[in-house]
Amino acid sequence: MKGLAFTSAVITAVSLLGASVLADVDPIVIKGSKFFYKTNGTEFFIKGVAYQQDVGGNGTSSTDATYVDPLTDVSGCTRDIPYLQQLSTNTIRVYAIDPTKDHSQCMQMLQNAGIYVIADLSAPNISINRDSPEWNLALYNRYTSVIDTLQPYNNVLGFFAGNEVSNNVSNVNAIPFVKAAVRDMKSYIKTKGYRTIGVGYAADDDATIRTNLEDYMNCGSSDDSIDFFGYNIYSWCGTSSFQQSGYADRTAEFSNYSVPAFFAEYGCNTQGTRVFDETAALYSGQMTGVWSGGIVYMYFQETNNFGLVSVTGDTVSKMPDFASLSSQVAKATPSGVNSASYNPTNTVARACPTSDSNWQAATPLPPTPNGQLCSCMLANLTCVAQSSLSTDEVTKLFGQVCNPDLGENCAGFAADGSTGVYGAYAGCNATEQLSFAFNQYYLNQTANNPGNSQACDFGGSATTQSPVAATGACGALVSQAGTAGTGSVTSAPTGTGSGSSSSTTTHKGSAGMLTVPNFSFGMLQLGLYVTVAALVGAGMILL
C-alpha cells in the first residue's frame, strides 16, 4: 500500500512549519500518577510511535558512535510528520539524539503538529552497560548535554535515563546505577532552573524481576526515584484478550503506583500483520485509570519487521500495520479526569525490595560524578598513570594493581550495585582511577622504603609528578573522600555542575570509552583480570 505522494506530504509539512513559528504547545505536567496539559488541566494520554532508525538502547554498549538523529533531519521530519498525524500521534520516542546539532526546525514542526517528544539520554556508544555498569563523568556529561539541548522546547514530555538495562536476575546489580542517573538528572534540571521535565526508566517485561524492579525505581526519596515508569511490553499477540495477554495482571500491579505508567514500547508482531486490538484495550476504561497510553514500536521498517512504513529516500510506503493502527487509534477516546478535580490517592511510594536470590540490587546508590573531586585527587597524587595508555594496557594494569596481594589499592573506586559499596572516585575516568590505585601502591611501598625507585613504574606505565596540595574547596573534597577513597563526599563542586572539571570527561589517551572492571571489595574477586595480570607478568611488580 503506497502512502500519500511526497509532494502532498511536503505541502502539509511546510504548512506545519510556516503556519505559526511562534506557536507553542501546552507543556505536559505530572500530578500523582497522571499526565495533564498544564494550562487547561485535561488529562493527557500518550498516543505514541517510536521514531528512530538503526539504534539500539537496551543496556549494552557499542563502539559504533554513528547514528542518525531524527530530530536534526529536517527533510525526514518534513516527510514523516504527515504520516504520524494520520496515525493520530501525539508523542514520539527517540532513542539517541546528537546534542551538538540543531533541533529547532524539527521540534518546531512537531510542536505545530501537536506532537510531544520523549527522549532517551544515552547513545549506542555511551550508556549504562548491564554487564559492567558505571555511573561516571562521561555518562553524566552525555545525559546533561541532551537535557541542555532539548529543555527549551515545551513539547519535550520527558527523558528516559535507561532502557531495559537490567533484563534478568543476573544483571539487576546494574539498576542502582540507572537510579543514580535518575537522581542526578532530576537534580540537574532543578539546579539549572529549567522547566520541570520528568525523568523515568523504560523496563522490559521479564517475569523474574519486573515486580521488584517496579518497586525499586519507585521506592525511597522522591528526589531519587523515577517521575514515570515506561513498560516495554509485547505480551498481546494477534487476537488475544485483556486477560490472556497478561494486561489484566499488569494493570492490577500498577493500580496503586504513585507516578504515571505507560507502555514505552508495544506491538507484538509474531502473528503476522498486527491488528492492534491491544490499542483499543489500552485506551478503554479497563486501563485508563492506571495507564497513560503507550508508544507503538515502530515507525520505520527494518529487518525486525516492526515497521509501520517503509522509507526509501523521499518515498514513504505504508506497511499493512499502518492501516490497522490508524483505525484503532482513531477510534480510541480515552476518558480522563481534570487536574483541578483530581485528588491522588496512590501517593505512597513502594517499599524497596529486599535482597534475595532473585534480587541483588542494593538500596544505596552510586555517588554523583564530581569532576572537581577527580581533578583535585589527580593533582594531589605523586604517582600517576601515563596519559597515552591504550584500552588493553589500562585493563591489564587494573588487573595488576588491584590484585589483593598488593593491598586494597582500588577501594576508592569500588562500584558494586549488589552490595551498595561505592568508592568516592567511582565516577572518575579510567586514567584518574588507575592513577589513584598506582599512588596507593606507591605510598604503601615507600612508607618504610622512601628510596624505592620501582614503586612508581609498572613497566613504564606510571610516572611521578609534584603533587599539588589540596586546599580550599579541593581540600574539603579530598578530605571527605579519605585517604583510601572510601569516604562520602557531601560537598558540592564549584563551577557549573557536578560534571564540570578541568580534566577530560572521557578516558585519557587512546583508552577511549574504557569500562573499568567492577571490583567488589571486602571479598575481592578479580577473576579474569587477575588471570590476565598473571599472564603479562604481574609478579614483576611484587616488590
Side-chain angles (χ1 to χ4, degrees):
M1 295 175 62
K2 294 292 182 183
L4 297 174
F6 180 64
T7 53
S8 298
V10 169
I11 292 171
T12 304
V14 168
S15 68
L16 289 171
L17 180 59
S20 173
V21 294
L22 298 177
D24 208 354
V25 294
D26 199 9
I28 303 302
V29 297
I30 295 171
K31 180 179 180 181
S33 60
K34 297 180 182 296
F35 293 114
F36 295 96
Y37 289 99
K38 181 179 181 179
T39 301
N40 64 22
T42 302
E43 186 173 354
F44 180 82
F45 292 94
I46 293 170
K47 296 181 179 179
V49 174
Y51 182 72
Q52 189 158 10
Q53 289 179 287
D54 302 322
V55 171
N58 60 350
T60 60
S61 293
S62 169
T63 57
D64 185 2
T66 60
Y67 58 90
V68 176
D69 178 350
L71 302 185
T72 64
D73 181 4
V74 177
S75 62
C77 292
T78 302
R79 177 195 65 213
D80 295 329
I81 288 176
Y83 293 94
L84 292 169
Q85 288 182 299
Q86 290 180 51
L87 294 168
S88 303
T89 304
N90 66 12
T91 306
I92 60 171
R93 178 183 177 184
V94 293
Y95 293 85
I97 73 141
D98 184 346
T100 67
K101 294 183 178 179
D102 177 53
H103 299 80
S104 60
Q105 292 187 65
C106 277
M107 291 302 291
Q108 183 65 57
M109 283 190 280
L110 289 165
Q111 183 167 268
N112 291 344
I115 297 175
Y116 294 82
V117 175
I118 300 175
D120 288 57
L121 295 173
S122 61
N125 65 318
I126 181 163
S127 62
I128 298 172
N129 189 326
R130 67 170 68 101
D131 296 321
S132 189
E134 295 180 89
W135 178 232
N136 58 30
L137 276 170
L139 286 162
Y140 182 98
N141 288 337
R142 157 69 196 185
Y143 285 24
T144 55
S145 69
V146 173
I147 291 173
D148 290 339
T149 298
L150 292 182
Q151 62 81 24
Y153 305 106
N154 277 352
N155 58 330
V156 172
L157 190 156
F159 301 105
F160 281 129
N163 181 69
E164 299 186 4
V165 176
S166 294
N167 62 357
N168 61 56
V169 170
S170 71
N171 52 43
V172 296
N173 64 305
I175 208 65
F177 296 86
V178 179
K179 195 168 180 180
V182 170
R183 174 200 65 201
D184 291 343
M185 294 307 99
K186 291 175 64 169
S187 175
Y188 181 80
I189 290 169
K190 184 175 181 180
T191 300
K192 296 287 284 186
Y194 293 154
R195 169 177 68 90
T196 301
I197 307 173
V199 182
Y201 175 70
D204 82 329
D205 186 30
D206 183 87
T208 62
I209 66 170
R210 62 188 173 207
T211 301
N212 281 331
L213 194 149
E214 295 156 13
D215 292 349
Y216 186 86
M217 298 307 290
N218 182 243
C219 75
S221 168
S222 61
D223 292 336
D224 300 345
S225 58
I226 54 172
D227 294 315
F228 53 78
F229 189 95
Y231 203 169
N232 298 344
I233 182 168
Y234 294 87
S235 61
W236 187 312
C237 298
T239 302
S240 187
S241 69
F242 183 60
Q243 297 291 339
Q244 182 182 351
S245 65
Y247 276 28
D249 295 330
R250 305 292 81 76
T251 300
E253 288 171 6
F254 279 89
S255 62
N256 66 346
Y257 216 57
S258 65
V259 298
F262 59 92
F263 290 179
E265 289 177 5
Y266 79 96
C268 173
N269 69 347
T270 62
Q271 306 299 310
T273 299
R274 294 182 286 182
V275 295
F276 289 107
D277 286 345
E278 69 269 44
T279 299
L282 182 58
Y283 300 106
S284 73
Q286 287 180 306
M287 300 185 69
T288 53
V290 173
W291 301 98
S292 295
I295 299 170
V296 170
Y297 190 84
M298 66 107 51
Y299 183 77
F300 297 98
Q301 175 70 349
E302 297 177 322
T303 55
N304 57 18
N305 204 36
F306 278 95
L308 297 169
V309 302
S310 176
V311 177
T312 305
D314 291 336
T315 302
V316 178
S317 300
K318 296 178 183 178
M319 302 297 289
D321 292 357
F322 188 100
S324 301
L325 180 62
S326 178
S327 173
Q328 292 284 13
V329 178
K331 292 184 294 185
T333 55
S335 178
V337 298
N338 190 275
S339 176
S341 59
Y342 170 58
N343 296 305
T345 56
N346 47 337
T347 56
V348 178
R350 298 282 179 91
C352 292
T354 56
S355 293
D356 58 28
S357 59
N358 290 320
W359 187 257
Q360 292 291 317
T363 300
L365 304 178
T368 301
N370 187 325
Q372 187 180 10
L373 170 66
C374 298
S375 296
C376 294
M377 174 269 288
L378 187 65
N380 190 235
L381 304 179
T382 301
C383 181
V384 296
Q386 299 280 9
S387 62
S388 59
L389 298 173
S390 70
T391 297
D392 287 344
E393 288 171 325
V394 172
T395 300
K396 292 174 182 177
L397 289 163
F398 271 123
Q400 293 178 14
V401 72
C402 294
N403 187 322
D405 291 339
L406 303 184
E408 291 197 5
N409 301 318
C410 302
F413 49 89
D416 191 336
S418 61
T419 63
V421 175
Y422 311 103
Y425 303 118
C428 299
N429 70 42
T431 305
E432 291 162 341
Q433 291 178 343
L434 186 61
S435 295
F436 178 81
F438 280 172
N439 195 69
Q440 291 293 98
Y441 177 79
Y442 170 83
L443 294 175
N444 254 346
Q445 294 298 308
T446 58
N448 297 316
N449 184 10
N452 187 345
S453 61
Q454 297 299 306
C456 185
D457 183 63
F458 289 86
S461 298
T463 186
T464 57
Q465 66 175 14
S466 298
V468 177
T471 59
C474 269
L477 292 168
V478 172
S479 174
Q480 288 172 15
T483 55
T486 54
S488 296
V489 176
T490 57
S491 296
T494 59
T496 58
S498 293
S500 62
S501 171
S502 60
S503 66
T504 56
T505 56
T506 55
H507 306 315
K508 294 183 179 179
S510 56
M513 284 305 302
L514 172 67
T515 297
V516 180
N518 280 334
F519 300 122
S520 175
F521 297 92
M523 292 185 65
L524 188 60
Q525 297 176 344
L526 298 177
L528 176 62
Y529 296 99
V530 172
T531 302
V532 171
L535 292 174
V536 297
M540 292 169 30
I541 63 169
L542 298 175
L543 303 177

